[in-house]
Amino acid sequence: MPPRKFLAVLAALLLGAATLVAAPLQAQAAPNFKAPFPCGQRWTYSHHSGEVRRALDFIRSDGGTTGGTPVLASAGGTAYRFSQPSGAGNYIAIEHGGGWKTYYFHLSAYSVANGQVVSQGQQIGVTGTTGASTGPHIHYEQLLNGVGQNIVINGSGLAYPGSYGSYHLTSDNGCGGPGKPFMTWGSDVAVRTDAKLSAGLVTRLAGPTSVRVLCQKQGDTVTAEGYTNNWWAKLASPAGFMTNIYIDDPNAKLPGVPDC
């Protein structure tokens, strides 16, 4: 084979090999991560020298209570539950594919089963202070192939301040989808198949939960927590009805929500 032709063939082979090597790297593009807390909430964050990898700690800065607030999946994937009483406490790791993983530490409760497939914006736990923690917060990490990465939300990198109050982040996680977003309050709140106390039980909300209300209708009168109300909210997920008493809104009939 003439030298020039040999060199041309060799160059083509090397280019093909480079393409094969580059393809897996391209497949590892990061998901479009969103904040790990509910739509519309404003939190501040900090980093300190004792943090493992490139974690950031989040606490609320909008006047709401940090402890008991839902923790949301910042991207879809498969969630796994863990417990480390001497460190991370109750925590969840979500495998997103392409080598990407996120961690959510110090949960007071889990909201999903071990190995459950979750969607972006789905509640996976409740903010707490379990393990080696000095107060309620979300310890949050993004990892690629086991290596901690600088936190990126909606395609923009976050700063790494040494104390809270320097920077704030307002969430747009879970803002989409049908219905109007609300937070619930209370614990062990029943979600039923209809607006009746005798209707079948769909699930119970362990603590404050981010929900989307599709519509509302009058049903059985419920008396609880010093309130009486016969309006019930129809939820998008979990699919069912709950009394408006436990929707975090001062109105007996929710504003901006149509009748069913």
Side-chain angles (χ1 to χ4, degrees):
M1 180 182 295
R4 287 184 180 179
K5 188 173 182 180
F6 174 77
L7 290 175
V9 171
L10 180 60
L13 290 173
L14 290 174
L15 179 61
T19 302
L20 290 174
V21 171
L25 295 178
Q26 293 173 354
Q28 292 182 341
N32 181 31
F33 292 117
K34 292 187 177 293
F37 45 87
C39 174
Q41 291 186 1
R42 183 172 181 261
W43 294 51
T44 184
Y45 49 92
S46 74
H47 175 79
H48 57 83
S49 60
E51 291 285 19
V52 297
R53 296 176 288 271
R54 294 293 289 163
L56 285 174
D57 291 336
F58 289 85
I59 63 172
R60 289 188 72 168
S61 57
D62 58 4
T65 302
T66 299
T69 296
V71 177
L72 308 186
S74 61
T78 304
Y80 297 95
R81 293 162 45 158
F82 299 93
S83 181
Q84 186 187 52
S86 62
N90 301 324
Y91 73 97
I92 280 182
I94 301 181
E95 301 276 0
H96 303 286
W100 286 96
K101 178 188 292 187
T102 49
Y103 282 146
Y104 313 76
F105 287 5
H106 308 304
L107 306 175
S108 64
Y110 305 108
S111 300
V112 292
N114 189 49
Q116 181 175 331
V117 175
V118 299
S119 57
Q120 186 176 64
Q122 181 173 343
Q123 180 173 340
I124 57 171
V126 179
T127 304
T129 185
T130 57
S133 170
T134 57
H137 68 285
I138 302 173
H139 169 114
Y140 175 72
E141 300 182 31
Q142 295 174 354
L143 297 88
L144 176 60
N145 296 325
V147 179
Q149 306 294 302
N150 287 349
I151 303 300
V152 174
I153 301 295
N154 289 331
S156 297
L158 299 188
Y160 273 72
S163 60
Y164 296 118
S166 300
Y167 296 90
H168 303 265
L169 178 67
T170 298
S171 175
D172 68 345
N173 198 359
C175 293
K180 184 175 180 179
F182 289 92
M183 289 295 299
T184 70
W185 64 282
S187 59
D188 200 34
V189 177
V191 178
R192 301 188 178 277
T193 57
D194 200 357
K196 301 177 181 179
L197 292 170
S198 60
L201 182 69
V202 174
T203 189
R204 289 187 179 275
L205 306 180
T209 303
S210 177
V211 296
R212 300 189 73 86
V213 178
L214 299 173
C215 59
Q216 58 190 329
K217 71 176 184 178
Q218 290 180 305
D220 286 352
T221 298
V222 179
T223 299
E225 311 290 346
Y227 300 95
T228 298
N229 198 346
N230 70 340
W231 283 96
W232 292 64
K234 183 178 182 180
L235 308 182
S237 178
F241 289 84
M242 64 174 288
T243 171
N244 281 7
I245 288 175
Y246 289 105
I247 298 290
D248 194 6
D249 188 281
N251 298 283
K253 185 179 182 183
L254 302 175
V257 175
D259 293 353
C260 295

